[in-house]
Amino acid sequence: MKKVFILGSTGSIGVNCLNVISSFKDEFEVSGLTVNSNTELLLEQIKKFKPKLVVVRDENSAKKIYGRIPNGCELLVGEEGLIKVSIDAEYDIFMGAMVGFAGLAPTIEAVKRGKRIALANKETLVVAGELVTNLCRENASEIIPVDSEHSAIYQCLIGENLNEVEKLILTASGGPFLNKEKSFFENATLDEALNHPNWKMGSKITIDSATMMNKGLEVIEAHWLFGLQVDKIEVVIHPQSIIHSMVQFVDGSIKAQLGLPDMKLPIQYALTFPERLQNNFERTSLPEIGSLTFFEPDLTKFECLKLALEAINEGGIAPCILNAANEVAVGKFLKKEIKFSHIPLLINKALDKVENCFTPDLETIFEYDKKTREYVITLT
Ligand code: NAD
Ligand code: MG
């Protein structure tokens, strides 16, 4: 039995991960769960999966469940709780399913323990990719990506030599606004932006998909995961989201991984690798899908993708500034405080205003994340 600790168990990835675990009861047990504030769902999860340890980050939400946690399950609270469990809890696999920069510090603790990291939280690699991948090497910790594109590439690279890779081809659905004119972004509503055609996900990544910042973050994630230069990572629009990504080799051959748009598959792969286990998930019927299409992305329309590519090319702390500004800007859009079209404007202002710094250490990353947020919060 492998022990799985899920950071962010009440989110879209967290819930899917628990669904996968439910169908492999002889393989996996849940040793711990953490949530931000959804304590009612947490209580249901505790009842079903019987973890020994849970963390509620938001202290007011935690108060609502004092006295309601069953015997044998310990409750910790706050950010200190998140760090403490990452350091102390018993687990073989750490499922990083929290959203945003907040996932960085606990993930680093899991890496330092040499654990397997099933990583959905792409922001961790965007803001501190160099540092985290170095720590992985030093501590013999392995990151198995959960992000569907990276899981696809990981699968295509099995048995291959990285030196023989010509390029990675990251597919992108293009999100809900693929066929809209740029002028549409002025008045795009929150509901329209949240209406992703293929994937059901948390609100932050859904907005990132509408702006295509998500693909920019994924290019940065792929750069650190696979150690390839950014000019060897191509983004291709593929609206059906059936090919999850591809690898092209030096002889021109291309390998792809296909499947329905369902995160349970990459989650299962990250838990069971190097094995594949039989499951009863829906199978892909290619005749039913009929056609697969591909286009080049429009960087003039999707400015966030362009900003992300510029940030990783600039290097240093620029991706961290980009990420912090994006998290604040998306948060503002979700609260209807700014227009959809203002998201890239705010990020651009932050990248202009906050001076870059090269080879940042962890302390510097936290400092820049904080100061970027403080700046972007004041913008409209
Ligand atoms: P979500 O918003 O649905 O869930 C986030 C989870 O993290 C929740 O359990 C929440 O309680 C917890 N959380 C949020 N903020 C927190 C904080 N400050 N402190 C502690 N806990 C906090 O998000 P999601 O869609 O499941 O995405 C999770 C991560 O996985 C993101 O980084 C996202 O980019 C990545 N990802 C998601 C999908 C998907 O299909 N949803 C696909 C690929 C990658
Ligand atoms: Mg993805």
Side-chain angles (χ1 to χ4, degrees):
M1 285 286 256
K2 292 233 169 72
K3 293 189 171 68
V4 185
F5 197 98
I6 307 179
L7 208 77
S9 67
T10 50
S12 159
I13 294 286
V15 167
N16 267 314
C17 180
L18 287 171
N19 286 338
V20 170
I21 290 176
S22 304
S23 51
F24 296 107
K25 290 206 177 76
D26 298 334
E27 310 284 337
F28 302 107
E29 64 181 299
V30 175
S31 65
L33 300 171
T34 82
V35 310
N36 188 32
S37 59
N38 189 347
T39 44
E40 291 310 314
L41 180 54
L42 175 66
L43 283 177
E44 284 174 33
Q45 295 177 340
I46 296 174
K47 221 166 135 192
K48 185 157 177 207
F49 294 95
K50 306 192 169 35
K52 292 210 176 76
L53 202 53
V54 296
V55 183
V56 178
R57 195 208 61 110
D58 180 62
E59 305 197 2
N60 286 327
S61 307
K63 283 182 192 143
K64 292 190 217 148
I65 57 166
Y66 285 157
R68 292 169 69 198
I69 306 271
N71 285 340
C73 179
E74 186 186 348
L75 168 70
L76 296 177
V77 176
E79 248 151 70
E80 314 79 63
L82 285 176
I83 301 293
K84 186 171 174 351
V85 291
S86 306
I87 298 173
D88 291 344
E90 256 189 79
Y91 55 87
D92 304 299
I93 303 175
F94 180 90
M95 167 59 70
M98 248 168 83
V99 56
F101 182 89
L104 173 65
T107 306
I108 284 187
E109 297 307 332
V111 168
K112 284 189 194 155
R113 291 176 67 186
K115 298 294 181 183
R116 167 174 298 191
I117 317 290
L119 191 65
N121 177 241
K122 63 191 85 186
E123 294 89 347
T124 285
L125 287 175
V126 170
V127 300
E130 186 163 17
L131 202 140
V132 170
T133 47
N134 284 341
L135 273 177
C136 280
R137 267 190 293 277
E138 285 161 25
N139 296 283
S141 174
E142 52 175 356
I143 295 182
I144 316 285
V146 167
D147 214 347
S148 56
E149 296 76 3
H150 306 75
S151 175
I153 292 167
Y154 197 93
Q155 294 178 55
C156 291
L157 287 173
I158 300 291
E160 302 287 354
N161 186 340
L162 261 182
N163 297 330
E164 294 167 1
V165 171
E166 198 161 78
K167 65 177 176 184
L168 307 180
I169 305 171
L170 275 185
T171 54
S173 70
F177 300 152
L178 175 61
N179 298 315
K180 300 284 187 206
E181 296 296 323
K182 192 172 178 193
S183 56
F184 172 88
F185 291 176
E186 273 305 303
N187 297 308
T189 67
L190 179 57
D191 285 347
E192 287 166 329
L194 284 173
N195 187 21
H196 197 282
N198 305 344
W199 297 95
K200 177 112 198 52
M201 311 178 285
S203 54
K204 190 262 179 183
I205 182 176
T206 305
I207 301 304
D208 284 350
S209 300
T211 62
M212 283 198 76
M213 174 57 88
N214 184 49
K215 211 48 54 180
L217 300 180
E218 290 184 355
V219 169
I220 305 175
E221 181 186 10
H223 163 68
W224 292 117
L225 271 176
F226 304 111
L228 283 169
Q229 290 311 309
V230 179
D231 62 2
K232 288 185 160 189
I233 308 175
E234 183 186 347
V235 173
V236 169
I237 306 274
H238 165 48
Q240 296 81 16
S241 299
I242 296 295
I243 296 188
H244 295 309
S245 277
M246 302 175 247
V247 179
Q248 179 171 314
F249 297 91
V250 288
D251 59 357
S253 179
I254 298 178
K255 275 168 91 175
Q257 187 264 343
L258 285 73
L260 294 173
D262 182 344
M263 290 307 294
K264 290 204 296 299
L265 187 50
I267 290 169
Q268 174 178 323
Y269 187 81
L271 297 178
T272 66
F273 173 81
E275 276 183 84
R276 288 187 187 271
L277 298 187
Q278 166 101 45
N279 62 27
N280 57 5
F281 304 161
E282 191 185 343
R283 298 301 193 239
T284 316
S285 161
L286 292 175
E288 229 168 77
I289 291 156
S291 61
L292 301 178
T293 52
F294 306 94
F295 313 92
E296 264 182 35
D298 180 346
L299 294 188
T300 326
K301 184 164 112 183
F302 292 109
E303 286 168 272
C304 284
L305 173 56
K306 184 161 170 265
L307 288 170
L309 297 176
E310 284 169 2
I312 185 64
N313 278 321
E314 190 180 323
I317 200 103
C320 174
I321 299 171
L322 170 100
N323 178 72
N326 182 55
E327 285 190 29
V328 176
V330 170
K332 279 175 179 271
F333 177 68
L334 286 170
K335 284 189 267 170
K336 300 190 177 176
E337 291 171 6
I338 60 166
K339 289 182 177 193
F340 185 78
S341 56
H342 284 190
I343 297 174
L345 296 183
L346 266 52
I347 300 168
N348 206 1
K349 281 190 183 164
L351 285 163
D352 277 350
K353 162 102 178 173
V354 186
E355 229 171 83
N356 204 346
C357 137
F358 293 91
T359 55
D361 57 12
L362 194 57
E363 205 181 312
T364 314
I365 290 170
F366 275 91
E367 182 198 317
Y368 273 73
D369 175 75
K370 186 162 175 271
K371 76 174 166 203
T372 305
R373 282 168 199 271
E374 284 167 356
Y375 170 61
V376 181
I377 223 109
T378 63
L379 304 175
T380 49

